[in-house]
Amino acid sequence: MSEQPHRDPDLPLQRWQINEINQRDQREALMSPIEKQVVRSPVYQAPQPEFCAGSKPLQERFMSVRDATERLVAPLKAEDCNLQSMPDASPIKWHLAHSSWFFETFILEKFEPNFEPFHPAFRVLFNSYYNGVGDRHPRHERGLISRPDLATVFDYRHDITKRIANLIEALGDTNLSFAELMWLGCNHEEQHQELILTDLKHLLSKNPLKPAYQTRWPLTAIEGRKPRWHKYDGGLVEIGATKSLTNVNSPENFFFDNETPRHCVFLEPFEIASHPVTHGDFAAFIADRGYQRPELWLSLGWDWLNAQKITAPLYWELRDAGKHGGNDSGIDSGTPNKWMTFTLHGMVEIDVHTPICHISFFEADAFARWKGARLPTEAEWEHAAALTTQHVAISGNFLDSHALHPLAMREQSSSAHPQQLFGDVWEWTASAYLGYPGYQAAAGAVGEYNGKFMCNQFVLRGGSCATPAQHIRATYRNFFPPEAQWQFSGVRLARNTI
């Protein structure tokens, strides 16, 4: 970050300096307290170059990730950041603190000379699930942490950012252990950027006013696309990632441990759909009484559906002439007897051509059965994605597009490969989340990152409209319990060809 020119306090201010101060004060007068914190952040004025394989990629990635997190929360009020809408979600303030806690606990504590914690109590308050680190504040009570206040949490973030930046300057890529933990920390914070948005969306949906996080609605009217099927011969294929030990200080060489080791699997011939299931497809499923037909549902899914009184995807509401909710987004509330859905842009009418989101594994599986199809396995999905990325680079509607909602393809595709494999929505697979053959978690508390969750979860692939673009790859394995709905989770169909 370039430093401001030094000014002698004994000299009178020049006219240009007075004007600059007045303009700054006027700008800050219009800002929320959180926006002021972001502007004063040590990373706010830092240059944000496109990533390249040039000098200091680790430093550039770290500073850009820290800046991106704070920019996400800049539009919010302090009240927005303190609340917790359900046990599975966390307050925004907690995400801001925990992503700093990770760098402090696993990196500063290990590598910083004469390390001292920012605050000793934060070790417990902002520990998520690392039992090897020590005690944790109960997850379902994170919304009760009114102190430290938001300003103190920003001070904590800025302190950790400066100290980590100093360590990067001192150690760079000369220390393999340090570099590996730093890439893990950057990718960890990118995961929390997505969680900030999905947790915030759930929180705002509970407000009767249905407030919008962002009022720029990204959708335009388009024509629907006809679904097609892409055939694969199957056979013996390889999936998974192989880490490079020669250049760890490079983002393309980072993988989470659950993506390794690379190994062979045998696939029967199969077909996979050209694009994800849409909102319109799911509306047809509902109209055909899909939520009332037990023959379509797994036993656990049927029990879940009835216990929770699920009748539609999360955030859907059927509006009639006598029922109109509040909406401060400036978006038209739609016509009577229409399916509406809550988005980060407020309450809107569903767009039948956009990929369905916020469905559970149970709902995805029931829909597939209704269509006479099935969910792809994660090996089938990755095989199709790997073949696709041999011809076209990974691209899609990610967080970087700022749409914050799944988008329909703008043109009818004649591609020989599936479309929208990356971005828009995470796609449920039929695969249980388990370790690959030969998988071994890292030693120590950091080894708790992935391995201990390999029970009662299913794998999702591809990233979403809330995933940072630089975070995703064909081997990436996300995972959630089968009843989870609050992520941007959707479905792509597959079927057998023998």
Side-chain angles (χ1 to χ4, degrees):
M1 179 176 110
S2 61
E3 294 185 0
Q4 297 296 321
H6 174 74
R7 185 182 72 82
D8 189 332
D10 295 327
L11 295 177
L13 287 172
Q14 301 297 308
R15 183 183 299 274
W16 69 268
Q17 292 172 316
I18 296 174
N19 290 339
E20 184 178 78
I21 292 173
N22 289 338
Q23 291 173 4
R24 182 200 64 196
D25 291 344
Q26 290 171 3
R27 287 194 303 270
E28 291 202 4
L30 299 174
M31 293 179 181
S32 71
I34 297 179
E35 289 174 316
K36 292 178 183 177
Q37 291 285 351
V38 173
V39 169
R40 295 165 184 166
S41 164
V43 299
Y44 179 78
Q45 296 181 12
Q48 303 298 324
E50 294 287 332
F51 175 78
C52 62
S55 63
K56 299 185 179 179
L58 180 56
Q59 184 179 45
E60 291 173 0
R61 180 68 165 268
F62 171 71
M63 298 299 279
S64 68
V65 165
R66 299 292 280 177
D67 178 65
T69 302
E70 298 191 9
R71 288 177 184 269
L72 277 181
V73 304
L76 303 178
K77 307 297 184 184
E79 292 82 355
D80 298 322
C81 297
N82 285 329
L83 301 178
Q84 181 177 21
S85 58
M86 64 173 174
D88 284 337
S90 296
I92 307 306
K93 183 175 74 175
W94 187 91
H95 286 295
L96 291 169
H98 170 72
S99 51
S100 296
W101 174 96
F102 191 95
F103 285 108
E104 181 182 41
T105 302
F106 291 117
I107 298 175
L108 288 180
E109 189 171 317
K110 182 176 181 179
F111 295 101
E112 185 181 55
N114 305 313
F115 166 81
E116 290 186 8
F118 180 86
H119 193 301
F122 287 9
R123 187 177 180 86
V124 174
L125 275 183
F126 301 121
N127 180 4
S128 55
Y129 51 69
Y130 295 93
N131 296 315
V133 171
D135 292 337
R136 299 170 293 128
H137 186 77
R139 179 175 183 175
H140 65 280
E141 294 183 355
R142 290 172 183 169
L144 301 180
I145 305 175
S146 60
R147 305 294 174 88
D149 61 13
L150 187 60
T152 303
V153 167
F154 271 108
D155 290 342
Y156 178 41
R157 283 187 60 85
H158 300 163
D159 177 79
I160 299 304
T161 297
K162 290 178 182 178
R163 292 161 66 180
I164 288 290
N166 290 337
L167 267 186
I168 296 174
E169 287 291 331
L171 299 178
D173 61 353
T174 61
N175 187 305
L176 181 62
S177 176
F178 170 76
E180 286 183 333
L181 286 171
M182 278 299 305
W183 285 115
L184 178 63
C186 290
N187 279 267
H188 167 263
E189 181 150 341
E190 286 172 342
Q191 289 180 322
H192 279 272
Q193 290 169 4
E194 180 157 5
L195 288 171
I196 283 172
L197 290 173
T198 55
D199 291 0
L200 175 67
K201 183 174 182 178
H202 191 268
L203 173 67
L204 296 179
S205 77
K206 297 297 183 181
N207 188 326
L209 298 178
K210 303 297 183 186
Y213 166 74
Q214 176 175 290
T215 57
R216 181 178 61 86
W217 185 234
L219 299 188
T220 56
I222 65 167
E223 294 183 3
R225 297 186 302 136
K226 294 181 179 180
R228 296 183 296 115
W229 292 94
H230 295 274
K231 294 184 178 181
Y232 297 88
D233 294 333
L236 196 63
V237 303
E238 287 190 339
I239 66 168
T242 302
K243 272 193 174 182
S244 169
L245 298 178
T246 58
N247 185 17
V248 71
N249 197 29
S250 178
E252 60 266 23
N253 288 327
F254 175 83
F255 303 97
F256 287 112
D257 62 356
N258 65 357
E259 299 172 58
T260 65
R262 191 164 178 82
H263 62 287
C264 291
V265 296
F266 184 83
L267 301 178
E268 296 288 352
F270 69 98
E271 293 180 324
I272 198 165
S274 57
H275 59 276
V277 171
T278 67
H279 279 77
D281 296 330
F282 228 84
F285 172 70
I286 297 173
D288 197 35
R289 302 179 64 253
Y291 281 86
Q292 288 81 47
R293 294 168 58 181
E295 71 273 14
L296 299 176
W297 294 80
L298 295 169
S299 177
L300 285 177
W302 186 249
D303 292 344
W304 166 80
L305 176 152
N306 285 282
Q308 302 299 320
K309 296 180 171 54
I310 305 294
T311 59
L314 184 64
Y315 304 131
W316 281 37
E317 295 181 13
L318 189 61
R319 292 285 180 88
D320 58 40
K323 182 180 179 182
H324 295 283
N327 181 8
D328 70 356
S329 67
I331 303 167
D332 181 63
S333 62
T335 55
N337 302 316
K338 295 288 187 180
W339 278 113
M340 308 290 290
T341 186
F342 182 75
T343 74
L344 285 166
H345 309 270
M347 205 76 190
V348 300
E349 187 177 322
I350 67 166
D351 185 310
V352 296
H353 302 309
T354 57
I356 184 66
C357 59
H358 300 299
I359 60 170
S360 67
F361 170 85
F362 294 135
E363 291 165 294
D365 180 78
F367 178 89
R369 192 169 289 108
W370 177 71
K371 291 291 289 186
R374 60 176 175 82
L375 304 185
T377 67
E378 67 167 323
E380 290 171 337
W381 192 99
E382 184 173 325
H383 179 57
L387 292 177
T388 299
T389 55
Q390 289 178 4
H391 301 276
V392 294
I394 291 177
S395 63
N397 170 28
F398 294 107
L399 172 60
D400 313 58
S401 73
H402 306 292
L404 304 182
H405 192 74
L407 300 178
M409 293 294 290
R410 290 298 189 259
E411 298 177 357
Q412 180 71 34
S413 174
S414 59
S415 171
H417 304 282
Q419 301 295 295
Q420 294 177 281
L421 281 167
F422 299 98
D424 287 301
V425 294
W426 289 100
E427 298 178 8
W428 284 106
T429 74
S431 298
Y433 176 54
L434 299 171
Y436 286 157
Y439 168 78
Q440 187 172 358
V446 75
E448 298 182 48
Y449 198 108
N450 284 311
K452 72 179 186 179
F453 298 107
M454 293 176 175
C455 180
N456 297 335
Q457 317 243 18
F458 283 84
V459 174
L460 302 93
R461 294 297 195 114
S464 81
C465 56
T467 307
Q470 63 187 356
H471 186 71
I472 204 66
R473 50 199 165 268
T475 58
Y476 194 107
R477 307 174 76 201
N478 201 358
F479 55 93
F480 277 95
E483 68 275 10
Q485 291 178 295
W486 90 106
Q487 297 303 302
F488 284 98
S489 49
V491 58
R492 182 189 300 266
L493 300 181
R495 63 187 184 184
N496 303 324
T497 59
I498 55 173

